[in-house]
Amino acid sequence: VCWELTSIISYLLIQFDAQDSSANQAGFNSLFVSVFGSLLLLVGFIMLNQIYHTWSITVILHSKHILVQPSQLLPIFMLLFFGAITKSAQFPFYFWLTGAMKAPTPVSAYLHSATMVNAGIYLLARFHHQFIELNAWYPMLSSFSLVTMLLSSILSVFQDDLKSLLAYTTIFALAAMVYLLGS
């Protein structure tokens, strides 16, 4: 719920200058990607609830007595993975973060480059031990993060706006954290 409140606040901040059509488009992109990721996360958590019969992440992560087949965990991992990378601006969803920099600078820098995007990385880190035995864990995290690092580093070279440069360096740093989880 709080994660979605940050998405709504983000949308409202990006829409700060309602007369600017690029801010309107950036706000829509941010909200669309965030809601899409939220729906993926919701379905993944519903599936986890069906297996573990709890909504508590702590209980799920410490439920060693429940035998779960990798075939049951793979679709949940895919949903949580894609939900998390939408939130943390990884390839192919990185474009929303650069547009989000249309918001007023101090708030935008804090919300979009420090707080909101790190929640996706935190979610992946929390479920690291749950999904580490899946064959898809390392290739998915490594490949998506490497592509994101490559794209963000190339695109950052062509930026002449400080806020855009901050966005691309943030995307690179987030991708590096995802890579470390997947290596």
Side-chain angles (χ1 to χ4, degrees):
V1 171
C2 292
W3 207 344
E4 291 317 301
L5 289 175
T6 61
S7 297
I8 292 168
I9 291 168
S10 170
Y11 171 75
L12 294 173
L13 281 170
I14 297 166
Q15 295 284 330
F16 179 74
D17 185 7
Q19 306 304 323
D20 185 6
S21 63
S22 65
N24 291 331
Q25 184 63 42
F28 174 77
N29 288 344
S30 172
L31 189 64
F32 179 77
V33 169
S34 183
V35 168
F36 175 70
S38 297
L39 291 174
L40 293 175
L41 289 172
L42 178 63
V43 172
F45 281 120
I46 289 171
M47 291 172 73
L48 278 174
N49 178 269
Q50 295 298 313
I51 293 172
Y52 293 100
H53 305 292
T54 184
W55 293 108
S56 172
I57 292 176
T58 306
V59 173
I60 291 170
L61 295 176
H62 291 93
S63 293
K64 302 287 186 206
H65 63 279
I66 297 175
L67 297 175
V68 180
Q69 299 297 321
S71 61
Q72 288 178 295
L73 283 180
L74 185 60
I76 296 169
F77 162 66
M78 298 301 276
L79 289 165
L80 294 182
F81 172 75
F82 282 107
I85 68 169
T86 61
K87 300 291 189 178
S88 59
Q90 299 296 294
F91 175 82
F93 306 106
Y94 66 92
F95 62 90
W96 74 264
L97 186 58
T98 57
M101 293 300 170
K102 298 285 184 190
T105 303
V107 177
S108 174
Y110 177 71
L111 180 66
H112 297 119
S113 296
T115 308
M116 191 172 154
V117 292
N118 286 318
I121 307 298
Y122 176 75
L123 183 68
L124 289 174
R126 284 285 292 191
F127 280 97
H128 179 76
H129 293 292
Q130 193 76 12
F131 297 129
I132 198 167
E133 294 178 11
L134 293 176
N135 292 332
W137 175 260
Y138 291 114
M140 293 286 288
L141 268 64
S142 298
S143 60
F144 276 82
S145 60
L146 284 173
V147 170
T148 304
M149 284 192 285
L150 181 65
L151 279 173
S152 62
S153 61
I154 291 170
L155 293 172
S156 68
V157 171
F158 301 106
Q159 302 308 310
D160 58 0
D161 176 39
L162 209 53
K163 287 171 76 174
S164 296
L165 188 60
L166 174 65
Y168 282 112
T169 55
T170 299
I171 292 167
F172 183 89
L174 294 167
M177 286 189 275
V178 173
Y179 181 77
L180 290 173
L181 282 173
S183 63

